Amino acid sequence: MQRWRGLEDIPQDWGRSVVTIGSYDGVHRGHQLIIGRTVERARELSVPAVVVTFDPHPSEVVRPGSHPPLLAPHHRRAELMAELGVDAVLVLPFTAEFSQLSAADFIVKVLVDKLRARAVVEGPNFRFGHRAAGNVAFLAELGTSYDYEVEVIDLHVSGEAGGGEPFSSTLTRRLIAAGDVEGASEILGRPHRVEGVVVRGAQRGRELGYPTANVETLPHTAIPADGVYAGWLTANGERMPAAISVGTNPQFDGVDRTVEAYAIDRVGLDLYGLHAAVDFLAFVRGQEKFDSIDSLLVAMGEDVKKCRDLTA
C-alpha cells in the first residue's frame, strides 16, 4: 500500500481512483463499512482505492486545545486500512491555511486534480471545506460537472456497547475513559491498543518480582481508566499475554500516569528502547492503595492469575 504525506507526494501519472475522506480514528466497524465499500467499488471499476485523512485532527487547528484522545496513530490506521484492501492512504497536513479552503476548492484540488476521482464513498454526515460548509449533497452536485459519482453508506452499527448506542469514535473514547475496554473492543472489532517506546521507570515491578515494560505512550493517546487489565504486550515481533497496570501507582505516592505491562511467565526480557504495543482485553480491577507491600503482592498474584486465565 502506498502512503502519501501531502498532495505533492501523489505520483504525477496517477490515474482514476475511488476515494473516501475522513478522520477515521480507530477504523472502527462503522468506518470499516465505508472503507470496505470503497475498496469493493474500486475493484468493480478496476482502479485503486484511496483513503484521505488529516493530521493533526482538524479540531486541533479550528479549536486549539480541543484535540480528542486518539484511538489509533496514523501508522496504525494505515495498517488497518491496508488489511481492508486499501491501495493508498493520503494524509493531508491540516493547517490554518488548509482550513480556509472552500468546499468547492477542496473538491477541485484534492479529488479532481490530484486523485482524479471516479467515485467517492462517504457516510451521510460527511462535512468538508471551510466551516464544514460542504456535505454529501454538494459533493454529488459537483460530481456531475467533474465526472465522479457519489455513494452514501449508512454506517449505523450498534450492539451492546454503550447500551445500544450507535457505534462511533466518540462512544469508543467514552468507554475507554471509563475502563470498559470490552465495550470498546466490540466497536473496534479488536482490542483497543496503545503504543510507544519502552522506557525506564522506577523499576519497582522488578523489585517486587513482576518486571514491567513501561510504555511511553504517544501524544493524545486514548488511555483506559486507572486500573488493572488483562491483555497482550507486543514487542520485537512477539505477542505475549500480559497483566497491564494503568495509573499513578498510589502505593508509592506516584504522580504521573503510566501504562505498564507485565509479560506473564516471561523471564529475562529486555525491551528498553523498543517500540511496543499494549492491547486491552478485559478490566480486572480498579487502582488501589493497599495497607502493606505484602497485601499488594497478594493482589498482584491474583491479578496475574486472572490475566493468565483471560488471555489463555
Side-chain angles (χ1 to χ4, degrees):
M1 185 184 74
Q2 298 189 51
R3 303 184 190 189
W4 305 320
R5 176 80 181 184
L7 295 174
E8 62 280 359
D9 276 0
I10 301 171
Q12 292 293 324
D13 59 352
W14 187 254
R16 304 301 297 271
S17 57
V18 177
V19 183
T20 186
I21 309 158
S23 292
Y24 291 129
D25 183 21
V27 193
H28 62 65
R29 286 168 58 190
H31 296 154
Q32 291 167 30
L33 289 178
I34 298 176
I35 296 171
R37 178 54 189 158
T38 302
V39 171
E40 183 179 40
R41 187 67 183 126
R43 300 297 178 265
E44 292 170 357
L45 295 171
S46 299
V47 297
V50 181
V51 175
V52 178
T53 188
F54 309 96
D55 184 39
H57 193 284
S59 65
E60 182 64 14
V61 175
V62 177
R63 297 178 299 279
S66 66
H67 200 305
L70 293 180
L71 301 173
H74 280 287
H75 71 266
R76 175 62 173 158
R77 293 182 220 177
E79 290 171 0
L80 295 167
M81 291 171 184
E83 291 174 5
L84 294 171
V86 171
D87 299 293
V89 173
L90 167 62
V91 179
L92 290 175
F94 199 90
T95 62
E97 180 182 3
F98 186 85
S99 72
Q100 299 297 311
L101 203 63
S102 71
D105 284 345
F106 179 91
I107 288 172
V108 172
K109 291 186 177 183
V110 179
L111 292 177
V112 179
D113 290 349
K114 288 295 186 177
L115 294 176
R116 301 187 60 208
R118 174 69 181 80
V120 182
V121 182
E122 295 296 341
N125 299 319
F126 174 63
R127 307 295 298 232
F128 64 101
H130 183 53
R131 296 188 182 277
N135 56 20
V136 290
F138 182 73
L139 187 65
E141 180 184 338
L142 266 65
T144 58
S145 301
Y146 292 113
D147 188 29
Y148 64 80
E149 62 188 47
V150 174
E151 185 172 348
V152 180
I153 301 297
D154 181 4
L155 45 63
H156 182 99
V157 187
S158 63
E160 295 182 7
E165 187 176 329
F167 292 169
S168 67
S169 296
T170 300
L171 173 59
T172 311
R173 295 185 190 104
R174 192 167 77 235
L175 294 175
I176 290 168
D180 185 0
V181 295
E182 291 175 273
S185 292
E186 183 188 9
I187 299 172
L188 295 170
R190 63 185 183 280
H192 174 57
R193 168 176 290 189
V194 303
E195 52 188 287
V197 174
V198 178
V199 298
R200 293 188 183 277
Q203 296 189 304
R204 293 195 183 93
R206 186 175 301 278
E207 295 169 3
L208 296 171
Y210 296 98
T212 59
N214 187 342
V215 180
E216 188 174 59
T217 55
L218 300 173
H220 303 298
T221 295
I223 298 174
D226 293 353
V228 176
Y229 299 83
W232 293 274
L233 170 66
T234 300
N236 220 14
E238 185 177 5
R239 189 171 187 251
M240 300 164 277
I244 307 157
S245 173
V246 177
T248 58
N249 204 340
Q251 193 72 36
F252 300 97
D253 301 320
V255 176
D256 298 326
R257 289 188 84 214
T258 60
V259 176
E260 301 179 60
Y262 166 63
I264 297 172
D265 301 327
R266 295 301 299 270
V267 178
L269 283 176
D270 183 4
L271 304 178
Y272 292 123
L274 297 181
H275 185 273
V278 177
D279 294 315
F280 292 84
L281 172 66
F283 177 82
V284 173
R285 65 169 174 86
Q287 180 177 254
E288 298 179 49
K289 183 173 183 177
F290 295 90
D291 295 335
S292 66
I293 297 300
D294 287 342
S295 297
L296 170 63
L297 286 170
V298 170
M300 291 173 73
E302 293 174 351
D303 294 340
V304 170
K305 183 180 184 302
K306 290 176 183 176
C307 293
R308 184 187 292 111
D309 293 342
L310 286 165
T311 55

